[in-house]
Amino acid sequence: MSATEIDFYEVLGVSRDADGAAIKSAYRKLAMKHHPDKNPGCTESENTFKAISVAYDCLKDPQKRAAYDRYGHAAFQNGGGPGGAHGNADFGDIGDIFETIFGSAFGGGGGRARPRRGADLRYDMEIGLEDAFHGKSTEIEIEVSKACDTCHGSGAQPGTHARTCNLCGGQGNVRAKQGFFVVERPCPNCHGAGEVITSPCRDCRGEGRVDVPQKLEVDIPPGVDTGTRIRLSGKGEAGPRGAPAGDLYIFVHVKPHEIFQREGTTLATRVPISFTKAALGGSIEIPGLDGEELTLEIPAGIQSGKQLRQRGAGMPVLQGRGRGDMVVEIAVETPTKLSKEQRTLLEQFRELETGDECPQSKGFFDKIRTAFGG
């Protein structure tokens, strides 16, 4: 199977609109299946492995993929292919079409272009409201690229070294005349590295990095909320060929709580009380997230919807001092199951009612009588 004759998308078995994650997943499955170490002496598997490596090297890079989608295999003619680090061919001695026309997002002035930093990564973490209140230290496991142990991040097979690029002379940049201007761009042969790997490491295929599972300790500070980001510097994807690693960002999501709703640092809840407690007054106890019982005094004659505020009983201020408030909304509950004795007492109370006990009701019906002529 030849990657220069077969469509790269067909080689990996993905559609042309597949995203980066789907392309990477397809490549890894095929690479594990056809890796020469798993198929010793099998020429067909070795050729297949080379083909999928070349295809993946092209499609994983947005610039190379854009050039391929636009020009097909013609984008990699004139003496080169998209193999680069993952294949056994350089990316063209003259330069690929995409960089010739559009330039590169990297590079710049004189001297060798700086190595590309590794990509930043995102990890979504879901925690409970109690953990958001107290904070916590937890361990997460993610799969992230790190420097290859076999080549120590160089990308070259042990015992071999990268050679100086013969196109840019090791500078990492080349100059081309366009009309009256001379434009300097990263070298299309070494991609700004100044060096070319002729014998890529078999474990990392010249990347200088491999994907491995890692366990990391994460400290969640008190007061975090949904949307809070925690940055772990240098814990992202390793850069190619020894370049600096990116960062890992932990995105926090706080799960809904059975009792409390959160609005910033304010905790809110709705508490039902009996109509006798509402009429006579009393107290209620609510367990706080700090483990302490919170006692609230209920004034006599309280109505449904009335809110009681307890200062300093809410959520901690993130990276600050103090706590927010707790707001308790009262809901007066009408009894639905009465004993015979309770019903008798309520009937006696009704006979003693004058209408002044419930001023809101009295005022409402007075307005009705006025509005409708008595």
Side-chain angles (χ1 to χ4, degrees):
M1 180 169 59
S2 173
T4 59
E5 298 175 355
I6 301 178
D7 184 90
F8 285 159
Y9 293 98
E10 293 182 7
V11 172
L12 297 180
V14 297
S15 62
R16 299 190 74 84
D17 58 354
D19 59 16
I23 291 174
K24 182 176 182 179
S25 176
Y27 164 73
R28 293 182 63 183
K29 291 179 181 178
L30 292 171
M32 292 179 63
K33 178 180 179 181
H34 297 286
H35 196 283
D37 290 345
K38 289 191 174 182
N39 303 274
C42 180
T43 303
E44 183 178 355
S45 292
E46 183 177 356
N47 292 336
T48 300
F49 181 76
K50 290 180 180 179
I52 60 179
S53 296
V54 171
Y56 176 63
D57 183 74
C58 172
L59 299 184
K60 75 169 184 176
D61 187 310
Q63 292 184 350
K64 295 179 186 178
R65 183 177 179 181
Y68 178 74
D69 288 344
R70 185 171 182 178
Y71 301 104
H73 293 289
F76 311 115
Q77 293 175 356
N78 298 324
H86 280 286
N88 293 322
D90 298 329
F91 189 64
D93 294 329
I94 299 179
D96 69 23
I97 293 176
F98 189 83
E99 287 192 355
T100 301
I101 298 176
F102 299 105
S104 174
F106 304 96
R112 179 177 298 180
R114 297 193 309 176
R116 288 182 296 171
R117 176 176 173 271
D120 292 336
L121 300 179
R122 169 173 178 156
Y123 183 91
D124 292 281
M125 177 183 292
E126 189 176 58
I127 63 174
L129 188 59
E130 290 85 355
D131 289 332
F133 181 90
H134 294 286
K136 65 180 296 187
S137 293
T138 186
E139 186 179 72
I140 63 172
E141 183 171 344
I142 61 172
E143 187 173 85
V144 62
S145 63
K146 74 175 195 67
C148 175
D149 291 333
T150 302
C151 65
H152 304 291
S154 69
Q157 282 189 17
T160 67
H161 301 280
R163 62 172 175 82
T164 301
C165 176
N166 56 13
L167 182 61
C168 66
Q171 293 299 309
N173 296 302
V174 293
R175 293 185 175 186
K177 187 175 181 181
Q178 293 185 352
F180 296 100
F181 302 98
V182 176
V183 180
E184 187 175 68
R185 297 194 180 100
C187 175
N189 190 44
C190 64
H191 306 290
E195 297 177 330
V196 176
I197 296 177
T198 55
S199 299
C201 171
R202 297 188 68 179
D203 288 340
C204 66
R205 296 172 294 279
E207 276 287 313
R209 53 187 179 177
V210 291
D211 290 339
V212 295
Q214 292 193 34
K215 293 182 179 181
L216 299 173
E217 287 289 335
V218 180
D219 291 324
I220 307 297
V224 295
D225 201 353
T226 295
T228 298
R229 287 193 319 174
I230 299 173
R231 176 171 171 255
L232 300 183
S233 179
K235 298 301 182 181
E237 189 174 76
R241 301 185 188 179
D247 299 331
L248 172 64
Y249 288 90
I250 309 294
F251 281 73
V252 177
H253 303 268
V254 181
K255 294 184 290 187
H257 195 266
E258 294 182 357
I259 304 298
F260 296 109
Q261 294 79 47
R262 180 179 181 179
E263 299 174 5
T265 58
T266 300
L267 289 176
T269 187
R270 190 168 184 266
V271 178
I273 63 173
S274 67
F275 81 108
T276 53
K277 181 171 288 188
L280 301 176
S283 64
I284 56 175
E285 291 185 346
I286 301 175
L289 293 177
D290 57 2
E292 300 292 332
E293 290 285 344
L294 177 64
T295 301
L296 291 177
E297 295 298 326
I298 306 297
I302 195 170
Q303 302 295 312
S304 283
K306 176 67 177 179
Q307 291 184 341
L308 303 177
R309 182 178 292 269
Q310 184 70 24
R311 302 290 182 183
M315 294 292 294
V317 178
L318 179 62
Q319 296 180 343
R321 295 182 178 180
R323 290 166 55 181
D325 301 336
M326 181 184 293
V327 175
V328 177
E329 180 180 333
I330 297 299
V332 180
E333 184 177 14
T334 302
T336 57
K337 294 181 180 181
L338 294 173
S339 66
K340 184 177 180 180
E341 183 179 2
Q342 288 172 328
R343 180 177 292 276
T344 299
L345 292 173
L346 282 178
E347 289 174 348
Q348 292 176 4
F349 175 77
R350 182 169 58 183
E351 293 175 359
L352 296 174
E353 284 183 327
T354 64
D356 295 330
E357 299 86 0
C358 300
Q360 291 186 20
S361 297
K362 184 177 184 298
F364 176 76
F365 287 107
D366 284 344
K367 290 179 181 179
I368 289 181
R369 285 190 289 270
T370 301
F372 292 95

